[in-house]
Amino acid sequence: MHSQIELRDRLAALAEPVKPVEGYEDKVMRRSRRLRRRRRMTAGAAAAVCVAVLVTMFRVVGFGPAPQLAAPPPDGPFLGWSAVGDVDAGLVREATDVWDAVGGPHTAVRAFVALRNDQQLHSIAVLQGYDKQGDARLAFFTSDVSAAKALRLRADRPAPDPVTTQVISLVSPRLSGPAGVVSTDEFGTYAIAVAMPGVTTVRVSNSIIDDEMIGDPDAPTGRLVVQRFPLAATAQSTTISGFVKPDRPLAKTTKVFVVQGDGGADDDARAVQGKVVAETGQQIVVAVQQIQAVRRGQLAVVAEGLVGRVTAVDVTRGEATIDLVTSTGFAGPAHTDISDVPGSVRGTGTSVVMERIPTGEQKYTVSAGNRVVMPDPCQPNDQVGAVTVGRASSAKAAEASSVELTPAVDLTHVREVSIMTSSTGGDC
């Protein structure tokens, strides 16, 4: 072609005899609409199938109702729990012999735990059985770290309620040496916790340490856990949580209970429970069933720390009066945790201060947030069972001898306390 004009003329000539079919445009539009409807229907069906598959998969894999923890039926006065893991029959016989030697013959003895070669406490046995009076009892045994074959009876207590109990535990600094002897290791308190069947993970934490060694609840530990804590840890400052994780991929772990530690070993200070019946800005009055064990000067605690000190006991009414840590009547020796800076604490009426802190040396520094603890007069020394009073609200100035504390406990919401009493029932 020599020009665009010539090309256009020839194309026009070619197109002239072509006659469009009548209604052609309408037919094209109708066909287009049918195709679009078919595509939408196919896409919708595919999407519905995908949703159904996803819902089914999530029900099977990770979702569904939260797991329910069904308690095994009681075995008379005993917990009807199966044993944890394999039971060493020889260890059960050895533990029973030790138990019989201390408290007379025991019958219907069965084991919750009987294992050797534990990484921390060597041998561990937890038994239940009838004593010679026919009472249902629960006993904990561990072996001496200096003589792994010497199994020791650590605690012998009444069997717990078989209907409501979800976990049994023992927290004490007397689990790693000769019977009744307190550990000399700074981290010498151990917690043993055994949960009911169905629990997949047990987690133990303690308020006396800042970085709780609680592990990952999604990593199953089984029904038995043994945890090591500083000497200041007690059952009253220990929290035990139980978790259940369904045996399905991607299923979530569910917390099924949170309880306080059961108690300590024989010869440990004992906690007597008191319920608040009256309160003022300076004191609380608590009703105590075991009032005969309560004395002036004993400490009243909750899991978070120190509430106050007993200042009066009314045996007739079964009540004890407690000065709160913020009251003007409260005072006593104290030291910082870890750094062990000495001093004393005193209530001001609205808060609490640590004072009489030595000055002039770097080792007597108190930083903001430092934990301050008070020795428990019912314990064998200033480290065992020391109770958190509070934390430094700010850093102590270099030449200052005092610093204000933030109390460890919200004193406006205290409803029950544990009063730490002597293991022998006498004065602390």
Side-chain angles (χ1 to χ4, degrees):
M1 299 299 171
H2 299 288
S3 68
Q4 291 183 356
I5 295 174
E6 184 179 355
L7 175 62
R8 185 172 60 250
D9 292 341
R10 290 194 178 188
L11 289 173
L14 289 171
E16 185 175 355
V18 178
K19 300 295 184 181
V21 177
E22 185 177 355
Y24 174 77
E25 297 87 347
D26 293 338
K27 291 180 180 179
V28 171
M29 293 301 295
R30 286 196 297 272
R31 180 175 175 80
S32 175
R33 284 194 291 269
R34 284 198 301 271
L35 288 173
R36 282 198 294 269
R37 283 197 297 270
R38 289 175 183 172
R39 288 171 183 161
R40 290 194 189 105
M41 292 173 64
T42 302
V49 170
C50 289
V51 170
V53 170
L54 287 173
V55 169
T56 302
M57 183 182 71
F58 285 141
R59 285 176 179 170
V60 172
V61 173
F63 290 85
Q68 300 295 317
L69 194 60
D75 183 8
F78 294 119
L79 298 168
W81 300 357
S82 59
V84 176
D86 296 330
V87 172
D88 187 308
L91 189 60
V92 174
R93 288 193 296 270
E94 182 182 350
T96 303
D97 290 343
V98 172
W99 204 7
D100 291 348
V102 174
H106 292 77
T107 57
V109 175
R110 67 212 74 177
F112 291 129
V113 179
L115 63 88
R116 298 187 190 272
N117 303 316
D118 177 73
Q119 293 182 350
Q120 302 189 73
L121 290 173
H122 297 276
S123 299
I124 300 175
V126 183
L127 309 181
Q128 60 179 354
Y130 291 109
D131 63 12
K132 62 182 180 181
Q133 284 81 30
D135 296 325
R137 306 290 294 183
L138 176 70
F140 289 78
F141 306 79
T142 64
S143 60
D144 184 351
V145 293
S146 63
K149 294 182 179 180
L151 201 65
R152 315 283 189 180
L153 175 62
R154 305 302 186 179
D156 184 352
R157 61 175 75 141
D161 186 338
V163 176
T164 61
T165 300
Q166 296 172 302
V167 62
I168 54 177
S169 63
L170 174 64
V171 184
S172 176
R174 292 177 165 88
L175 302 185
S176 58
V181 176
V182 173
S183 174
T184 57
D185 191 326
E186 183 181 355
F187 272 73
T189 290
Y190 288 88
I192 301 173
V194 184
M196 64 185 293
V199 173
T200 56
T201 297
V202 182
R203 190 174 74 180
V204 181
S205 59
N206 195 282
S207 64
I208 197 64
I209 55 176
D210 298 329
D211 297 321
E212 295 180 345
M213 300 175 292
I214 57 178
D216 179 5
D218 288 326
T221 63
R223 293 167 50 208
L224 169 68
V225 65
V226 179
Q227 186 70 60
R228 195 176 185 186
F229 291 113
L231 284 172
T234 61
Q236 290 66 48
S237 57
T238 299
T239 301
I240 303 170
S241 304
F243 298 82
V244 172
K245 184 176 183 180
D247 189 16
R248 301 193 302 264
L250 304 182
K252 292 184 178 180
T253 299
T254 301
K255 185 184 293 186
V256 289
F257 66 76
V258 180
V259 298
Q260 190 181 51
D262 283 344
D266 297 341
D267 299 326
D268 279 349
R270 297 176 182 174
V272 173
Q273 303 307 310
K275 184 172 292 187
V276 177
V277 295
E279 56 185 310
T280 67
Q282 301 282 306
Q283 296 177 325
I284 58 174
V285 177
V286 297
V288 184
Q289 289 188 347
Q290 297 174 295
I291 194 66
Q292 291 78 10
V294 178
R295 305 284 189 275
R296 291 187 60 190
Q298 293 171 342
L299 301 185
V301 306
V302 292
E304 296 78 15
L306 185 62
V307 173
R309 180 188 284 111
V310 175
T311 56
V313 179
D314 188 331
V315 177
T316 303
R317 296 175 61 89
E319 295 178 347
T321 302
I322 297 167
D323 276 356
L324 300 175
V325 294
T326 54
S327 71
T328 55
F330 180 85
H335 58 272
T336 58
D337 186 42
I338 301 178
S339 57
D340 200 27
V341 174
S344 61
V345 291
R346 175 178 58 84
T348 66
T350 57
S351 64
V352 59
V353 297
M354 181 180 184
E355 53 191 9
R356 299 180 181 176
I357 304 171
T359 59
E361 295 187 36
Q362 184 64 30
K363 65 179 181 179
Y364 296 129
T365 299
V366 178
S367 302
N370 277 178
R371 182 190 301 276
V372 177
V373 299
M374 172 175 279
D376 182 347
C378 290
Q379 298 284 3
N381 60 52
D382 289 353
Q383 283 70 47
V384 174
V387 187
T388 302
V389 179
R391 296 176 180 272
S393 301
S394 60
K396 181 184 76 66
E399 297 305 319
S401 61
S402 65
V403 63
E404 186 171 346
L405 306 181
T406 300
V409 179
D410 180 358
L411 300 173
T412 62
H413 292 91
V414 175
R415 297 295 175 262
E416 294 184 353
V417 299
S418 297
I419 300 174
M420 304 307 297
T421 72
S422 168
S423 61
T424 61
D427 294 336
C428 291

